[in-house]
Amino acid sequence: MRHLVVVSNRVAAPNHGKGAEGGLAVALRGALKENGGLWFGWSGKVAERPSPNPHITESDRITYATVDLTESDYDEYYNGFANSVLWPLFHYRLDLMDFSRRSLNGYQRVNSLFAQRLVPLLKPDDLVWVHDYHLIPMAEQLREAGCKQRIGFFLHVPWPAVEVLLALPNHAELVRSLCAFDLIGFQTNRDLQSFMDYITVEANGKIGDGGAIEVHGRRTRAAAFPISTDPSTVAEYARKAEKSPAAQRLRRSIGERSLIIGVDRLDYSKGLINRMEAFSHLLERYPANRSQVVLLQIASPTREGVQEYDEIRHELEAISGHVNGAYADYDWVPIRYLNKGFTQRTLAGFFRLARVGLVTPLRDGMNLVAKEYVAAQSPRDPGVLVLSRFAGAAEELDGALIVNPYDTEGLADILETALTMPAGERKERWRGMMQHLRRNDITAWRKRFVAALDAAAPVQ
Ligand code: G6P
């Protein structure tokens, strides 16, 4: 197997086997360790000047190479084009898209900077695997710098329907640059189909067997590679965490009540407002749940430099306060709303205690919380996953109760169904999903992608 090079905006710093990391970081590190590898990206630091050379560290057969961004890079590339244009657009929020030529230039500039700094580190036979919407122009930039290596791309977020993408002023250039990759991976068949529709309808391209594409004089291949979690590790964390002080404290505080859990980044795409409204409908329409059910919503703050993220935070504070004001009693608060993050281990313990996992994004590439919730359940007494049809995970997790998060009253009815579901049905639904996750874990995901990239036609 060839030497692998991973390129992503964020680089998970070497962790020396300490602490519980996210599944993606573990999987990519696993792939890099196999034959020695390089992980390249942003250092996470904002500096006065761009780094003339990447900062290099080595650990466990992996080289980490990172570059700093300047204030204007950070503002125009990360806060600007990536998170105020592509993120809202790809999540169907055209109303929040804030396009400017300045941010587009910043996006191009940082991609070009990354390519220039990466090229001297590449060996002729390397496989280069670029991740996510921050770095769509990377292959084109690397090719311009003379790079002949096979370069693959995986999009972690949704790819929008043609009509939505057309709102992006530079959609044609963006898709053309994406087609400079040798392999383009999407989360779901739905995303793949939207991309293929664009290629045929808007770009006049041709689709051949096995996702082969001919467009703009380029040949590439696109396919769906649904990302996953490591269910065995999550299950083990959950078993062990049951006895942890945090899980025991949570259990004591819940007592005989049923726990509904939501864990998300504090992002407008996650449907948190709709979720709290639905919970409020549940208490109103099914009063037997009052004093008997608790919604624990963990929402860790993210991208605080972007205005929409500050706004959603205020809206959530208002609605959770409102629901609690309307229904709380002297010995019960219906919504526990937390603005902080927890380790994977602690979360796994919390998931196991929860009768319902509530995952209701308005749009989501995959949503690994849905998969982690399933993996953390006790086989003897599993909880119920309530999952938005607009999360990529809904294409796979057919044992979940699938909901439309825009229908908050319907969601309240489904929550009632979940809370009262008999153990036999819970077990049957859970078993099918767990079997699917075991067969399609994150190691299988990264091996499938790397093998497909390795098999891509060599660059002429
Ligand atoms: C999503 C994106 C990732 C990103 C993560 C956290 O999952 O697909 O690329 O790293 O959100 O967002 P942040 O802006 O903090 O990196």
Side-chain angles (χ1 to χ4, degrees), residues 191-212:
D191 295 336
L192 175 65
Q193 189 55 50
S194 300
F195 179 69
M196 294 306 205
D197 288 348
Y198 183 96
I199 293 295
T200 48
V201 176
E202 277 300 315
N204 219 2
K206 285 203 198 95
I207 313 285
D209 289 346

Side-chain angles (χ1 to χ4, degrees), residues 9-10 78 83 87 132-134 156-157 265 302-303:
N9 177 59
R10 286 200 189 268
Y78 175 77
N83 287 323
W87 180 273
D132 231 353
Y133 59 100
H134 315 85
H156 291 255
V157 299
R265 281 185 311 103
T302 177
R303 303 178 195 163

